Amino acid sequence: FSPRHPSPHMIKKKCDMVLFAGDLFHENKPSRRTLHKTMTIIRKYCMGSNPVQIQIVSNQEQNFKRSLHGRVNYEDEFYSVDLPIFAIHGNHDDPTRDGGTEMLAALDLLSISNFVNYFGRQDEVDKVEVSPILLRKGSTNVALYGMGSMRDERLNRMWQGKKVRFLRPENVNSPLDGTNDEDEANNGQENTWFNIFALHQNRDTGRGAKNCVHESMIPEWMDLVVWGHEHECRIVPDESLVGTFRITQPGSSVATSLVQGEAVRKHIGLLDIRGCQFRLKPIPLSMVRAFATGEVSLGRGNAMNAEDELDPDDPKVEENMMEYLSAHVSRLIDDAREQGKNLREDALVEANKALQRKRHRRNHNEDDEEMGEMGLGKPMFTIQKPDQVLVRLKVEHTGFSTLNNQRFGARFVSEVVSTFLFMLRCVTLLLLSGRSSYHFSMFLSCIQHY
């Protein structure tokens, strides 16, 4: 669990709320230590006396069925919440049965404790009905739709069978009336709601036509889709294939699987909304463990120098392979350490900027509410053993034998986080392991455990 990456930014930017697009936890039964750390972070950054500026005008009992009193947490008179969190569940922390008939998710524990506003859960197995949370601040109105993780094949089948239904309000002054605007027109009225859809499913990236959610399935009247589940960070909104809405993919805030997409720099997003216009500002994360990937082929003609080519018939081929691959891994480790050094330097620069701003406010007797990721001239958070990095080397080894994982990994015990070697057909994968001018601001993040 790693919410501490975006948490201080939320305070510094004076956000109205936080939106998690699934996988707040890496497993549906997190440890007591993980839950304790989670609650500590939420109490530190999300509890306080500052008033919440957003108002919920929809039926809260329908929106927050999993909460104790059927309402948003900051309206509970026994709690003092100044930064509400809205979250859907992902495929890692999805509801499961635990010694009974009721299915519970880890988010249910946080919801019943008033730490998180858990929404978007679908309990029906043969149909899906998505009801929005209607948020209002000043003249800006936001309809927040959420759909927690479901089996992609089952969801795809229901979508094809027109059993997925989105409810939509008629206009700003009326409550949610349950009209299905996919089937019925909106009586010619101008849409005055900014529609956000948070989901946690596979995207159409070659996993099969029935094992994902296609962009064409999403209602055209959506304005912004926050797509969870995918680990690669593509925080800048892209235009959808439909052309009527945009998609932002926050990705995971830390490397949770050693794939190429995880090597992209991690970001979180600050979303500002005014009326039906929005802007999303990417905020890079500095305190993440460096990760580098590479590929190499052991076949003839692939080496840069002729003397470096490996002969599969050589009696010492295994020893030569060890030396050859060790050299590649060492280069990747150096690249990852250089990347980590640059990240830490960026964090130090931001820390110094935060210190200068703090001194400026003190000199002008201004209130000091800034609690950025940076503290008094140094980063607020640090990584333990930063020189131990993450490295993934993909090896094409056709015609060559495989190496012993423990023997090879022993060479890098003090340099990497972990090592793993396994076979995948003819490929061996070596895994070493001031207020905004806009009216409404929201923090977007897809958080995963590392």
Side-chain angles (χ1 to χ4, degrees), residues 24 73 122 144 149 204 207 240 250 265 280 290 292 343 408:
L24 190 63
N73 62 348
Q122 302 293 329
L144 177 60
S149 177
D204 186 9
R207 294 186 176 96
S240 65
R265 179 150 189 192
L280 196 152
L343 290 175
F408 187 85

Side-chain angles (χ1 to χ4, degrees), residues 13 16 42 51 64 94 103 107-108 154 165 175 187 199-200 224 260 262 272 326 341 361 376 392-393 428:
K13 302 298 182 181
D16 295 300
I42 294 177
F64 308 111
D94 58 331
M103 299 185 68
L107 285 176
D108 281 309
R154 179 164 65 93
R165 186 166 178 258
N187 300 325
L199 77 162
H200 193 97
L224 180 66
Q260 180 65 38
E262 294 277 23
D272 293 325
S326 294
K341 180 181 177 182
R361 285 192 299 272
L376 296 176
R392 175 185 185 267
L393 181 63
T428 300

Side-chain angles (χ1 to χ4, degrees), residues 2 10 54 60 84 90 112 127 129 152 161 171 230-231 299 348:
S2 183
M10 299 184 268
I54 56 176
Q60 296 194 34
I112 204 69
K127 66 178 181 178
E129 188 172 271
D152 288 284
N171 53 57
E230 301 292 348
H231 291 203
L348 187 60

Side-chain angles (χ1 to χ4, degrees), residues 310-322:
L310 299 176
D311 183 3
D313 299 324
D314 190 335
K316 298 182 179 180
V317 62
E318 184 173 342
E319 181 180 344
N320 294 335
M321 286 173 59
M322 294 272 280

Side-chain angles (χ1 to χ4, degrees), residues 195-206:
N195 301 294
I196 302 176
F197 181 31
L199 77 162
H200 193 97
Q201 303 292 152
N202 285 336
R203 293 188 72 172
D204 186 9
T205 55

Side-chain angles (χ1 to χ4, degrees), residues 17 55-56 133-137 140-142 144 193 440:
M17 58 173 284
Q55 177 188 5
I56 296 182
I133 303 173
L134 301 183
L135 307 167
R136 177 176 296 166
K137 181 182 179 184
T140 297
N141 300 277
V142 175
L144 177 60
W193 292 93
F440 195 89

Side-chain angles (χ1 to χ4, degrees), residues 239-251:
E239 187 173 350
S240 65
L241 298 178
V242 179
T244 58
F245 57 85
R246 293 185 176 274
I247 300 175
T248 176
Q249 182 178 298

